Amino acid sequence: MAGTSYTSEFPPVYVTVDVVLLTVRDERLQVLMVERGSKPWRGSLALPGGFLRQTEDLADGARRELREETGLDVEPAHLEQLGTFGAPDRDPRARTVSVAYLAVLPALPSPVPGTDAAGANWEPVDAMLAHDLAFDHHAILAAGVARARSKLEYTSLATAFVGPRFTMAELRRVYEVVWGHPLDPGNFHRKVLGSQGFVRRTADERAGTRGRPAATYEPGDAIVLNPPILQRPPHVP
Amino acid sequence: MAGTSYTSEFPPVYVTVDVVLLTVRDERLQVLMVERGSKPWRGSLALPGGFLRQTEDLADGARRELREETGLDVEPAHLEQLGTFGAPDRDPRARTVSVAYLAVLPALPSPVPGTDAAGANWEPVDAMLAHDLAFDHHAILAAGVARARSKLEYTSLATAFVGPRFTMAELRRVYEVVWGHPLDPGNFHRKVLGSQGFVRRTADERAGTRGRPAATYEPGDAIVLNPPILQRPPHVP
DNA sequence: CTAATAGTGTCTGTCAGACAATATACC
DNA sequence: GGTATATTGTCTGACAGACACTATTAG
C-alpha cells in the first residue's frame, strides 16, 4: 500500500464472503449447506455466501448472506473471520477472493433453515468432509472445523453452541461432539467452574428426563479461558 | 457463492496484500516499515504491500510485495495469512480489501533492507504501536504481533527468528524479546528439549564472547509443539 | 428399591517454576 | 583463580486424569 496509484493495470478482483455456520444437532456437529442452482458446480453443495457489497463491512456481509441465503434471521451467537481463500483458479468464471467466516449457533428448536428460500439444510460435518463440495469449500469447511475444535480449548466459544441457559451436561456434550471423544463428567465440571468467568451459575435448576436435576448456568464475561479446557491425550500409566 | 451471477450490480473491489515482517534485532522486536510517498498519508509509515495481481496467489503476492518494496530477495522463514481487513472507509480513494500476511525473518547480518528502493527500514514494534500509521495498519500490526506472541507458545515459529544454526540462548532471547519478560535459562532448556521435534542437536559448538561454549541446534520437524512452551503467570507461593 | 444422572472428594503421576549445583570457556 | 554463561539436577506446589463416593431425581 505504499505509493502505488490506481490504474487499470490492476484489474479488479471479485470479493465474496462465505460462511461456515456450525451447530450441534442430534449429537452431531452439523454445518449449514446450500445447493447450487447455477453453472459451476450446479447441484453440488456449497457454503452459503455471495458477493461483498460496495459499502458493507466484511462481517456485515457474512451476516447478510446468512440471512439472504438461508432465511435465518437470528444473529449468530459467534461470528469470526476464518481466513481468505484466493487461489487464482478457485472460480473458473473470474478471479475471486473469498473471505470466509466461522459462525456458531445453538440448535434451534423449531425453524429448520432453508424451508423457505434456497435449499439450505443442516448436514453432518463428517459427511461433508467426505464429500465433494463446490469451489474450494472443502478446504474452507475443514478450516472452520479445525478452528472450532481448537477454540473450544482456550475460549468460551462453546457457550455459542448452547442456549442462554444451559447445564454442565449440555456444555460437555458440545465438547464431546466437536472433539469426537467422551469426557469425564466430574473432571469437566470441576474444570469449567475453575476457569475464571467461563460460566455463571443461575438460580434455577432443570430436571432432565432422569436423574438428579442439574444446575443451570449462563455465559460468563470471559472470552479467553484461564485456565483453558485442554484437549489432552488420555493418561496411560 | 450459491447461484449468484456476475453482473455490474457488484462493483469490483480492489484487493491489496500487506505484510507484517517481523524480526528480532538489537534485542528488540522490529517490523519492516516503508514511508509513503503519495497522497493519502503521505509521509506516514506504512506496512509494505500493494495490489494483488490478476493471476497470482495471495501468498505469492505477499512475497512479491516484500521483494519489490524492500529490495529484499530472501524467502521469509515463515509466512502465514494473518487476516483480512475490509472496513468500507479504510482507504479514502476506493473500496479496498487488504489481505494481511505475517512474515518472519532472522536478523540479517549485512544487507539492511531499503538501502536501495523505497525508504524501507526496520522500526521497533513498540514505537510503531505508539505511533500513527497509514490506513488501518496499526490494527494490522497489532494483529501480527499478537499472532506471533501466541504462536511462539504452541508452534515452532521461534526458529524462524533465528538462523539455520542457533544456540539455546539465541532461541530463548527470541521468546524473551517477543514476550517482553525474562525466562529461566535452565527451565527453558529443559522445556525445549522436551518438546518433541522442536530442535535437533548438531555436532558443533559455538564459543560465545564469554562463558562455556553452547551447543548448537537446528530446527526439528515439528510445526506444532507438543508439549507447548507455555507463557505462564509466574509462580507466587 | 433400582437406575440414572449430577456433583464432590481423593489419589497419584506429570510437570511447571524456583533455585542449587556442576561444567567449561575467557580474562 | 574469577567471572560469565551453559547445562543438569532437585525440590515442591499446582493440577490433570482416574475413579470412588454422595446427592437427588424418576419410575
Side-chain angles (χ1 to χ4, degrees):
Chain A
M1 290 297 325
T4 327
S5 62
Y6 288 67
T7 71
S8 59
E9 65 175 309
F10 303 111
V13 165
Y14 291 96
V15 176
T16 62
V17 179
D18 290 318
V19 183
V20 177
L21 175 59
L22 298 179
T23 196
V24 171
R25 288 172 69 87
D26 308 329
E27 305 283 297
R28 298 211 280 184
L29 183 63
Q30 309 216 18
V31 58
L32 192 74
M33 303 293 292
V34 298
E35 194 181 327
R36 280 190 57 78
S38 47
K39 268 234 12 214
W41 281 280
R42 179 203 293 267
S44 287
L45 291 176
L47 297 170
F51 291 95
L52 179 69
R53 297 261 168 95
Q54 186 72 4
T55 60
E56 85 191 334
D57 199 4
L58 296 170
D60 291 337
R63 276 183 280 259
R64 177 182 53 74
E65 288 296 342
L66 221 42
R67 260 199 324 274
E68 288 181 6
E69 289 219 13
T70 68
L72 205 64
D73 65 346
V74 289
E75 175 79 357
H78 178 85
L79 184 70
E80 72 175 68
Q81 198 184 103
L82 191 52
T84 297
F85 295 76
D89 59 351
R90 66 180 294 278
D91 187 328
R93 296 165 297 183
R95 179 70 198 272
T96 63
V97 166
S98 172
V99 184
Y101 274 78
L102 170 65
V104 170
L105 269 183
L108 304 170
S110 27
V112 177
T115 31
D116 34 321
N121 276 99
W122 294 111
E123 304 284 352
V125 159
D126 294 343
M128 288 303 100
L129 286 177
H131 206 276
D132 263 344
L133 302 179
F135 305 103
D136 51 3
H137 289 189
H138 187 280
I140 298 177
L141 174 58
V145 173
R147 176 76 64 91
R149 288 212 170 106
S150 97
K151 277 216 153 186
L152 285 193
E153 291 195 329
Y154 59 93
T155 75
S156 54
L157 176 64
T159 60
F161 282 96
V162 294
R165 290 278 187 287
F166 50 89
T167 65
M168 277 293 169
E170 287 167 357
L171 193 65
R172 174 165 44 86
R173 225 142 292 157
V174 169
Y175 279 89
E176 292 177 333
V177 166
V178 176
W179 283 351
H181 59 81
L183 298 173
D184 181 280
N187 292 338
F188 181 82
H189 191 275
R190 177 161 40 85
K191 279 166 72 165
V192 168
L193 291 187
S195 193
Q196 197 68 352
F198 188 4
V199 300
R200 191 176 16 246
R201 175 139 193 192
T202 67
D204 5 320
E205 293 192 336
R206 186 183 305 171
T209 47
R210 237 191 281 287
R212 171 176 170 179
T216 64
Y217 299 85
E218 57 190 8
D221 300 321
I223 297 171
V224 175
L225 296 187
N226 190 340
I229 311 291
L230 291 177
Q231 185 180 21
R232 286 273 209 121
H235 188 196
V236 254
Chain B
M1 290 297 326
T4 328
S5 62
Y6 288 68
T7 72
S8 59
E9 64 174 310
F10 303 110
V13 166
Y14 291 96
V15 176
T16 62
V17 180
D18 290 319
V19 183
V20 177
L21 175 60
L22 297 178
T23 195
V24 171
R25 287 172 70 87
D26 307 329
E27 305 284 297
R28 297 211 282 184
L29 183 62
Q30 309 216 19
V31 58
L32 192 75
M33 304 294 292
V34 298
E35 194 181 327
R36 281 189 58 77
S38 46
K39 268 249 348 232
W41 284 279
R42 178 204 294 269
S44 287
L45 292 176
L47 297 169
F51 292 95
L52 179 69
R53 297 261 169 96
Q54 187 72 3
T55 60
E56 88 191 331
D57 199 3
L58 296 170
D60 291 337
R63 277 183 279 259
R64 177 182 51 75
E65 288 296 341
L66 222 42
R67 260 199 323 275
E68 288 180 6
E69 290 218 13
T70 67
L72 205 64
D73 66 345
V74 289
E75 175 80 357
H78 178 85
L79 184 71
E80 73 174 72
Q81 197 185 104
L82 191 52
T84 298
F85 295 75
D89 59 351
R90 66 180 295 278
D91 187 326
R93 296 166 296 182
R95 179 70 197 273
T96 63
V97 166
S98 171
V99 184
Y101 275 78
L102 171 65
V104 170
L105 268 183
L108 304 171
S110 27
V112 177
T115 31
D116 33 320
N121 276 100
W122 294 111
E123 304 284 351
V125 159
D126 294 344
M128 289 302 101
L129 286 177
H131 205 277
D132 264 345
L133 302 178
F135 305 103
D136 50 2
H137 289 188
H138 187 282
I140 298 178
L141 174 59
V145 173
R147 177 75 63 90
R149 288 213 169 105
S150 98
K151 276 216 154 185
L152 285 193
E153 292 196 328
Y154 59 92
T155 75
S156 55
L157 176 62
T159 58
F161 282 95
V162 295
R165 290 278 187 287
F166 50 89
T167 66
M168 277 293 170
E170 288 167 357
L171 193 65
R172 174 165 44 86
R173 226 144 289 158
V174 169
Y175 279 88
E176 292 177 330
V177 166
V178 176
W179 283 350
H181 59 81
L183 297 173
D184 181 280
N187 292 339
F188 180 82
H189 192 274
R190 177 161 40 84
K191 278 165 74 166
V192 168
L193 290 187
S195 192
Q196 197 67 353
F198 187 4
V199 301
R200 193 177 13 249
R201 175 138 194 194
T202 67
D204 4 323
E205 292 191 340
R206 186 182 306 171
T209 47
R210 237 190 279 288
R212 171 174 168 181
T216 64
Y217 299 85
E218 57 191 7
D221 300 323
I223 297 172
V224 174
L225 296 187
N226 191 338
I229 311 292
L230 291 178
Q231 186 181 18
R232 285 273 207 122
H235 189 199
V236 254

